[in-house]
Amino acid sequence: QWDLEFRRSWDSNVLKLEVIDKYPTHEVVRWVAKFPWPLNSRVYIYSRKAYEDASYLAIISQSVEHEDFPLEESDNVRVVDYTSNMVIVRHNGTLDQPGFDYCLTYADDPKTNFSGSCKKWLAATAVPEFAGKLHDNAKRYEEKWPSERKTNNVGVGMGEHEDGTNE
């Protein structure tokens, strides 16, 4: 949800994932997702904002319009109806202890109709496969990145000023 570089390193369905604008309270992200053949790739332009304290982290994402990326792009389908909200609650209120609980709500309109057999394939194969990749790479993230990379990364540029004060 937050480290775009790491997501690009393991998710083969990410064609592009980049921050296109940064503001004091939020960022605007462009995500181009590969859809299975014969469907065209989907383009998401969304604003994301993080809220963090000692016990929880919340990442709120919502589709937005952007002047540099028109709604119609050749060979891609623009998703204009997208929202994703994730709340992570740390066990024992600290990042130093293993474990957390999370809730992710996600909705979008990919502008396509899936057949019954496609829905069955998504439910039986694609979603469990992605969840497994996500789990495996979450463990790899824990091993790969130093703890300072994982802490206090979210607040910077998202309502927290360089002197540490909030808006």
Side-chain angles (χ1 to χ4, degrees), residues 91-137:
H91 291 181
N92 302 318
T94 177
L95 284 175
D96 298 333
Q97 301 296 316
F100 61 87
D101 297 313
Y102 73 95
C103 177
L104 173 66
T105 59
Y106 176 98
D108 73 0
D109 177 4
K111 295 183 180 177
T112 190
N113 292 319
F114 292 108
S115 67
S117 60
C118 184
K119 287 178 187 177
K120 287 179 185 176
W121 175 81
L122 285 167
T125 305
V127 171
E129 182 180 296
F130 181 79
K133 277 184 175 180
L134 182 61
H135 181 259
D136 292 345
N137 282 285

Side-chain angles (χ1 to χ4, degrees), residues 120-159:
K120 287 179 185 176
W121 175 81
L122 285 167
T125 305
V127 171
E129 182 180 296
F130 181 79
K133 277 184 175 180
L134 182 61
H135 181 259
D136 292 345
N137 282 285
K139 291 191 297 188
R140 190 169 70 96
Y141 187 79
E142 179 67 29
E143 296 163 2
K144 183 175 182 174
W145 300 109
S147 61
E148 60 270 8
R149 169 110 189 228
K150 293 179 283 185
T151 58
N152 296 326
N153 222 14
V154 174
V156 177
M158 306 302 279

Side-chain angles (χ1 to χ4, degrees), residues 19-32:
V19 174
I20 56 175
D21 282 325
K22 283 189 174 196
Y23 299 96
T25 59
H26 67 283
E27 295 177 333
V28 179
V29 175
R30 180 172 182 249
W31 169 31
V32 182

Side-chain angles (χ1 to χ4, degrees), residues 46-61:
Y46 61 92
S47 171
R48 69 177 182 174
K49 184 171 186 169
Y51 302 91
E52 181 179 27
D53 73 10
S55 63
Y56 80 94
L57 166 66
I59 301 171
I60 311 301
S61 300

